[in-house]
């Protein structure tokens, strides 16, 4: 585990470094100051938090020992939820950064893969750093004021977020297992040597810790300096609304329906739903009204071909995008009413221009949707012109244009959105449906659905079953590409079958093991392997702890 931790401040930039004893995870900046100085004041602790904010989106090897640019924080982890869960459909072979391996389920199922290792270490670096802040800020040596409470609120929120992300991936889902006995992940509270974790705690114990941390965070935020407003960069900072949103996610995942509904309502209060123009603008900035939390990317911190939009967008100028347009599941698209403006962001009629398309229908003469070459070419040219794509960008039926970089056809960096008020409405609706409180679920669903579809009427969903069916549809469309498919399927205990009910549009030859996966309650392949390097280094873990 993280048995030796260095909290460092680099000249000009705040960084946190939590390093393991293993040589391959060991570095020491030459221009660092001591951890005692880094934790001496609330303002210094704020610099450490700024390092954590950057860790969410920067190339991690520049921030933490053992970090790898191929897994550049939430650029990778956010869209992975949709890639792994089968919501972000690949149209052709393009395996940059192992993105195809993820869709094939050949990465998270290996204890030596970069994916299993990096998510584990990046999240535990967050935990180790917040431990240092929390332990120092609560030992009585620094007077507690609004500023310190704000620092503590952010630290506790980050710790809850990190533990919840870890238990979501490296343990069996709360609602489909036996949380009181199912092994979770190790708890780590130390902030001084030897930094050994506990053995694997149960899933229940991890959720208890998450609840405790997030409630403590909210109590600190209630009497803290508020987050600044007016600039996209401020939404990189955590505040009470982010804490309530994470509380809602934790409660939803564990079936605490009343808490999920009330926390989601609290989180969304100051973030009005976007109108149609903003919704169709590309999801590339925190300045959108309903963004509660997101990383504000800085030009000097660009990840280029490691970015979220490189992996998930269809307008980023990279081979993963140009050769492999990402698609919506055809079965989901076919449920979208014509009166729902979100349908415009999925191009069912895009011509298939890729002669290497996995479905074998690329190029005029192979695309069954076009019999006139002029019509084929005209539609191709119109799409490329509308979305700023050069002739090197391939098109494919059902490709999305939801996630678009602000400067299409470039590699310019954009913000990464983590939490929106629309998600909170959907959490409310699901939680109320599960209670069940049908009228309250209808009200939450109507607010969101009515904002997107001029003819939406939630009152027709009068049973828990019909409400849940509609909520699943709404989450699939509303949150497409934002990373929720994997955790949603675990919560709902739903497997993956790209061939069922007319098919998703995915190729079985391309997807291999990822084409069909049984539901999580009977299929432990949904649980990520613990990194072998962790088992080798941690005296409290053995080979018997492997998932």
């Amino acid at each position: 585990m993280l048995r030796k931790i260095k909290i460092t401040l680099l000249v000009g930039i705040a960084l946190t470094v939590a390093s393991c004893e293993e040589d391959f995870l060991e570095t020491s900046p030459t221009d660092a100051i001591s951890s005692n100085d880094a934790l001496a004041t609330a303002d210094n602790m704020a610099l450490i938090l700024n390092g954590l904010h950057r860790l969410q989106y920067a190339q991690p090897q520049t921030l933490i020992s053992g970090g790898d640019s191929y897994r550049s924080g939430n650029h990778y982890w956010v869209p992975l939820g949709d890639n792994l869960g089968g919501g972000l459909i690949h149209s052709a072979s393009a395996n940059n950064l192992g993105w195809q391996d993820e869709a094939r389920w050949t990465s998270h199922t290996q204890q030596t893969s970069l994916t299993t290792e990096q998510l584990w270490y990046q999240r535990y670096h967050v935990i180790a750093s917040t431990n240092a802040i929390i332990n120092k800020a609560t030992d009585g040596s620094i007077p507690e004021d609004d500023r310190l409470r704000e620092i503590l609120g952010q630290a506790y929120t980050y710790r809850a977020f990190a533990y919840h992300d870890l238990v979501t991936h490296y343990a069996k889902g709360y609602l489909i297992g036996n949380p009181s006995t199912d092994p979770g992940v190790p708890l780590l509270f130390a902030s001084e040597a030897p930094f050994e974790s506990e053995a694997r705690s149960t899933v229940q114990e991890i959720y208890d810790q998450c609840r405790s941390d997030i409630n403590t965070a909210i109590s600190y935020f209630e009497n803290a300096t508020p987050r600044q407003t007016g600039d996209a960069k401020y939404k990189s900072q955590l505040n009470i609304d982010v804490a309530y949103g994470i509380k809602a996610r934790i409660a939803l995942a564990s079936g605490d329906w009343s808490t999920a509904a009330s926390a989601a309502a609290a989180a969304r209060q100051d973030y009005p739903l976007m109108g149609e123009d903003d919704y169709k603008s590309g999801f590339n900035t925190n300045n959108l009204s309903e963004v509660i939390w997101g990383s504000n990317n800085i030009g000097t911190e660009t990840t280029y071909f490691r970015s979220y939009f490189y992996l998930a967008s269809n307008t980023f100028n990279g081979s993963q995008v140009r050769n492999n347009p990402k698609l919506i599941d055809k079965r989901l698209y076919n449920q979208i009413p014509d009166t729902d403006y979100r349908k415009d962001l999925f191009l069912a009629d895009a011509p298939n221009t890729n002669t290497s398309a996995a479905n074998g229908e690329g190029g005029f003469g192979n695309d069954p949707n076009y019999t006139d070459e002029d019509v084929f070419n005209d539609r191709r040219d119109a799409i490329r012109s509308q979305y700023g794509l050069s002739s090197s960008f391939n098109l494919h039926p059902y490709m999305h244009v939801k996630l678009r970089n602000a400067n299409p056809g470039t590699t310019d960096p954009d913000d990464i959105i983590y939490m929106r008020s629309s998600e909170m409405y959907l959490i409310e609706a699901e939680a109320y449906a599960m209670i069940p409180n049908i009228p309250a679920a209808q009200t939450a669903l109507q607010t969101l659905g009515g904002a997107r579809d001029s003819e939406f009427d939630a009152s027709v969903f009068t049973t828990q079953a019909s409400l849940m069916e509609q909520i699943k549809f709404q989450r699939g469309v509303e949150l497409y590409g934002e990373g929720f498919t994997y955790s949603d399927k675990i919560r709902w205990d739903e497997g993956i079958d790209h061939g069922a009910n007319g098919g998703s549009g995915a190729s079985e030859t391309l997807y291999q093991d990822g084409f069909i996966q049984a539901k999580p309650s009977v299929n432990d392949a949904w649980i990520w392997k613990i990194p072998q390097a962790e088992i080798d280094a941690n005296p409290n873990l053995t080979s018997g702890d492997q998932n």
Side-chain angles (χ1 to χ4, degrees):
M1 172 55 70
L2 307 168
R3 286 182 281 167
K4 186 163 59 177
I5 297 171
K6 306 187 193 84
I7 305 297
T8 69
L9 292 179
L10 298 190
V11 174
I13 305 174
L15 306 178
T16 59
V17 176
S19 117
C20 296
E21 282 191 10
E22 300 303 303
D23 289 342
F24 75 101
L25 290 174
E26 187 86 42
T27 62
S28 180
T30 58
D31 53 351
I33 64 173
S34 72
S35 60
N36 286 337
D37 290 336
L39 296 164
T41 68
D43 285 341
N44 282 7
M45 292 178 186
L47 295 177
I48 295 174
L49 283 172
N50 284 340
L52 293 183
H53 301 327
R54 290 181 62 235
L55 181 59
Q56 303 310 304
Y57 71 88
Q59 295 194 48
Q61 81 281 3
T62 67
L63 295 167
I64 57 175
S65 56
D68 192 292
S69 71
Y70 275 45
R71 300 294 180 270
S72 288
N74 290 331
H75 280 289
Y76 198 87
W77 309 129
V78 168
L80 180 58
D82 281 337
N83 189 16
L84 191 60
L88 192 72
I89 307 295
H90 293 239
S91 63
S93 180
N95 195 29
N96 309 65
L97 305 185
W99 205 231
Q100 183 174 279
D101 292 338
E102 308 289 9
R104 289 175 167 174
W105 283 51
T106 57
S107 186
H108 75 279
T109 55
Q110 298 178 12
Q111 59 263 41
T112 56
S113 78
L114 193 59
T115 293
T116 53
E117 177 186 297
Q118 282 296 305
L119 183 64
W120 181 276
Y121 285 115
Q122 288 180 29
R123 295 307 186 227
Y124 270 112
H125 277 295
V126 171
I127 291 167
S129 297
T130 55
N131 284 348
I133 293 172
I134 290 166
N135 293 346
K136 179 61 177 177
T138 59
D139 70 1
S141 63
I142 303 175
E144 184 177 301
D145 57 12
D146 289 356
R147 176 62 163 158
L148 187 64
R149 285 188 285 270
E150 184 242 329
I151 298 300
L152 280 164
Q154 292 204 58
Y156 276 107
T157 301
Y158 259 135
R159 195 165 74 178
F161 162 77
Y163 273 127
H164 188 237
D165 205 33
L166 287 164
V167 78
T168 296
H169 290 88
Y170 295 95
K172 195 157 192 173
Y174 191 101
L175 294 175
I176 61 171
N178 298 295
S180 63
T181 56
D182 287 339
V185 295
L187 285 168
L188 175 70
F189 294 112
S191 59
E192 54 187 52
F195 296 104
E196 289 185 358
S197 74
E198 298 180 4
R200 292 184 75 177
S201 298
T202 65
V203 168
Q204 184 65 59
E205 288 169 333
I206 298 300
Y207 269 88
D208 288 345
Q209 184 63 48
C210 290
R211 293 189 186 104
S212 174
D213 279 350
I214 206 64
N215 287 333
T216 301
I218 290 168
S219 70
Y220 277 115
F221 277 133
E222 285 173 341
N223 297 290
T225 304
R227 185 173 70 181
Q228 290 180 266
T229 60
D231 193 297
K233 66 184 180 183
Y234 297 132
K235 289 186 181 178
S236 291
Q237 304 283 323
L238 312 184
N239 72 347
I240 193 169
D241 306 314
V242 177
Y244 271 119
I246 291 173
K247 181 174 181 175
R249 290 176 178 176
I250 293 166
L252 188 73
S254 57
D256 184 357
W257 311 123
S258 294
T259 298
S262 60
R268 64 167 171 78
Q269 290 300 317
D270 295 325
Y271 306 87
L273 292 174
M274 296 181 284
E276 182 174 354
D277 288 346
D278 279 348
Y279 196 92
K280 292 180 175 180
S281 66
F283 285 81
N284 50 47
T285 174
N286 288 345
N287 280 327
L288 295 169
S289 63
E290 62 180 73
V291 175
I292 301 171
W293 178 32
S295 283
N296 174 228
N297 278 347
I298 304 168
T300 56
E301 290 290 341
T302 183
T303 52
Y304 293 106
F305 305 107
R306 308 284 190 263
S307 80
Y308 176 16
F309 278 26
Y310 175 61
L311 295 170
S313 170
N314 284 328
T315 65
F316 189 95
N317 192 16
S319 58
Q320 176 65 234
V321 170
R322 296 190 305 266
N323 299 335
N324 179 22
K326 307 307 185 297
L327 320 175
I328 188 174
D329 189 317
K330 291 193 296 185
R331 299 165 297 190
L332 178 62
Y333 174 85
N334 289 335
Q335 297 179 60
I336 307 176
D338 291 340
T339 51
D340 188 330
Y341 66 68
R342 294 174 297 188
K343 194 170 189 175
D344 298 340
L345 296 181
F346 305 99
L347 308 181
D349 69 336
N352 192 335
T353 67
N354 188 0
T355 56
S356 298
N359 66 1
E361 297 177 355
F364 179 74
N366 296 315
D367 187 339
N369 298 313
Y370 288 87
T371 57
D372 186 307
E373 188 168 8
D374 288 337
V375 175
F376 178 96
N377 291 338
D378 287 347
R379 183 58 179 145
R380 176 201 64 195
D381 295 343
I383 290 173
R384 286 175 174 166
S385 175
Q386 182 176 356
Y387 296 106
L389 309 179
S390 72
S391 60
S392 64
F393 282 78
N394 276 304
L395 309 181
H396 196 287
Y398 298 97
M399 65 184 287
H400 80 86
V401 287
K402 175 186 175 180
L403 305 171
R404 304 193 309 278
N405 40 331
N407 294 314
T410 73
T411 61
D412 291 352
D414 289 293
D415 295 348
I416 315 173
I417 296 170
Y418 303 142
M419 185 183 291
R420 297 192 287 123
S421 53
S422 58
E423 179 204 350
M424 297 299 114
Y425 279 109
L426 289 165
I427 288 177
E428 281 183 79
E430 182 173 345
Y432 281 129
M434 294 302 295
I435 285 176
N437 182 337
I438 302 302
Q442 290 172 328
T443 297
L445 197 56
Q446 182 63 45
T447 302
L448 177 63
R452 310 297 189 222
D453 179 355
S454 59
E455 295 187 8
F456 185 78
D457 182 5
S459 68
V460 303
F461 308 112
T462 58
T463 65
Q464 183 185 70
S466 64
L467 275 167
M468 283 305 303
E469 183 178 357
Q470 178 63 199
I471 289 163
K472 291 176 182 181
F473 161 74
Q474 291 288 342
R475 285 188 70 93
V477 176
E478 178 68 27
L479 302 177
Y480 174 85
E482 297 179 59
F484 294 95
T485 310
Y486 171 79
S487 56
D488 283 351
K489 284 184 175 293
I490 291 174
R491 186 172 70 257
W492 299 330
D493 196 22
E494 293 182 353
I496 296 171
D497 189 345
H498 283 291
N501 302 318
S504 69
S507 162
E508 185 171 7
T509 301
L510 178 62
Y511 268 69
Q512 301 180 13
D513 286 350
F515 194 77
I516 296 176
Q517 285 289 331
K519 62 184 182 180
S521 63
V522 298
N523 178 13
D524 286 347
W526 288 84
I527 307 172
W528 289 29
K529 295 296 185 183
I530 293 174
Q532 187 60 45
E534 175 68 17
I535 290 176
D536 292 343
N538 191 331
N540 291 316
L541 295 180
T542 70
S543 58
D545 288 301
Q546 185 58 267
N547 289 324

